[in-house]
Amino acid sequence: MKAALTRLARELGFSAIGFTNAEIDEHLRVVLMQAGERDVERRVNPFLILPEAQSIIVLLTSYYTGLTGNIASYAFGRDYHRVMLEGCRVLEELLKSKGYQAKAFCDTGDLCDRWLAYRAGLGFFGKNHFLIHPQFGTYTFIAHIVTDCLLKPDKPMERTCDGCGACIRACPGHVLGGAGFARSRCLSDITQRKGALTAEEEQLIRDSGCAWGCEICQQVCPHNRGLQPTGNPAFCADLITELYLEEGISQREFKRRYGDRAFSWRGKQPLLRNLKLLEKD
């Protein structure tokens, strides 16, 4: 079954696939509790999703293009949630055709997908908390499928990041290093907030040149040097690298144009605000 799933995943355009046991991860529980995470049980317990769970299938897709723009590159192409889940549904059907249960997620579930990918042998962690795949770097989308099919698990990688500290030094909000990850100062998070921003937050957006997201810590990472662009059509064709919104655009028109993009879920207002901040004096 593992070979059939791997073969089908490649045919569907996934860049990598790995497998791990379905189990309550006590190590992750401690890490999340120390970080002050809420609903920790939901983050570590796959049996809340599927009581009969035996395995978790983890899938990566590269989205690297080598291009830059005024939005983060993960939003250049089609909405990755939709694309990844479309492929996962096909893998689900294969499992169900053999009598197994399966439930797929891509940033839509409670489990920590980066940690699952690490356990499934698909990478190691950088100082910026991103998963680093040896071939695809940090520019990957992650999906996972919880199933009652018992599949031989892969081993986590023993590699670690170079520890150069480039991401820590380059982070505009100074959220990395020290005691965990300070989400409240993360520029990517700031660009997605609704309502008014502080003067400091507005300046961070101006300095970044990015109206949605932030990839500075990825751009300086040595593990991202020499990457090959993705071959997945959803993430290398019909790209939007420079976003422009006219002030009077309606919500309906915004959704018509951009409803299939990863930045559309938040609506037009945060983007209009951010784009206005990027306008030259």
Side-chain angles (χ1 to χ4, degrees):
M1 195 66 197
K2 186 173 178 179
L5 289 164
T6 300
R7 184 166 55 251
L8 181 56
R10 299 291 188 186
E11 293 172 0
L12 291 168
F14 290 108
S15 302
I17 183 172
F19 303 83
T20 188
N21 291 328
E23 61 187 24
I24 298 174
D25 195 315
E26 296 298 341
H27 174 76
L28 181 59
R29 185 199 298 276
V30 172
V31 171
L32 294 177
M33 290 179 66
Q34 290 175 343
E37 185 89 17
R38 291 179 291 181
D39 297 324
V40 170
E41 188 65 23
R42 300 178 68 86
R43 302 287 281 165
V44 303
N45 190 344
F47 305 112
L48 297 177
I49 298 169
L50 185 64
E52 301 83 10
Q54 294 277 359
S55 304
I56 301 176
I57 305 161
V58 189
L59 300 127
L60 300 186
T61 295
S62 166
Y63 64 89
Y64 180 73
T65 63
L67 304 174
T68 59
N70 68 357
I71 57 175
S73 65
Y74 76 84
F76 286 174
R78 287 184 57 206
D79 186 340
Y80 68 93
H81 303 88
R82 299 185 185 188
V83 176
M84 296 289 281
L85 286 175
E86 285 170 5
C88 286
R89 300 301 180 213
V90 180
L91 293 168
E92 276 187 325
E93 289 305 311
L94 173 60
L95 287 161
K96 290 176 180 178
S97 71
K98 303 298 182 181
Y100 298 111
Q101 300 178 73
K103 294 185 179 182
F105 305 91
C106 179
D107 276 356
T108 53
D110 294 315
L111 300 179
C112 296
D113 53 4
R114 293 180 187 179
W115 185 253
L116 292 175
Y118 162 73
R119 282 178 38 194
L122 293 177
F124 50 95
F125 286 103
K127 296 294 184 182
N128 59 1
H129 302 274
F130 274 83
L131 182 84
I132 302 171
H133 186 278
Q135 181 179 351
F136 308 114
T138 62
Y139 292 93
T140 60
F141 298 127
I142 306 173
H144 64 275
I145 302 172
V146 182
T147 179
D148 60 350
C149 177
L150 182 60
L151 300 159
K152 183 179 179 181
D154 295 309
K155 295 181 179 180
M157 292 186 184
E158 296 182 357
R159 287 188 60 180
T160 60
C161 102
D162 292 341
C164 66
C167 58
I168 296 173
R169 294 189 297 273
C171 177
H174 307 293
V175 305
L176 303 173
F181 177 77
R183 180 175 295 277
S184 64
R185 301 197 307 273
C186 174
L187 178 57
S188 181
D189 190 72
I190 290 169
T191 64
Q192 300 176 48
R193 292 178 194 163
K194 290 186 175 182
L197 301 176
T198 67
E200 180 183 5
E201 290 167 343
E202 290 182 348
Q203 192 59 49
L204 283 174
I205 293 175
R206 290 192 190 96
D207 292 342
S208 74
C210 195
W212 181 264
C214 176
E215 295 184 322
I216 293 173
C217 68
Q218 297 188 80
Q219 292 165 355
V220 302
C221 178
H223 293 284
N224 286 331
R225 293 173 186 159
L227 298 181
Q228 292 298 309
T230 180
N232 190 307
F235 308 127
C236 67
D238 189 25
L239 303 182
I240 298 174
T241 59
E242 294 290 333
L243 181 66
Y244 168 77
L245 296 178
E246 59 270 29
E247 187 68 37
I249 186 173
S250 68
Q251 189 65 29
R252 176 177 294 182
E253 178 62 14
F254 176 78
K255 286 296 185 181
R256 186 191 70 80
R257 291 186 201 173
Y258 306 116
D260 65 342
R261 306 289 168 160
F263 55 78
S264 69
W265 69 275
R266 190 48 120 174
K268 65 176 184 175
Q269 292 301 336
L271 282 161
L272 282 168
R273 177 200 63 206
N274 299 343
L275 287 166
K276 191 171 183 62
L277 290 170
L278 296 182
E279 291 178 357
K280 294 182 179 179
D281 296 330

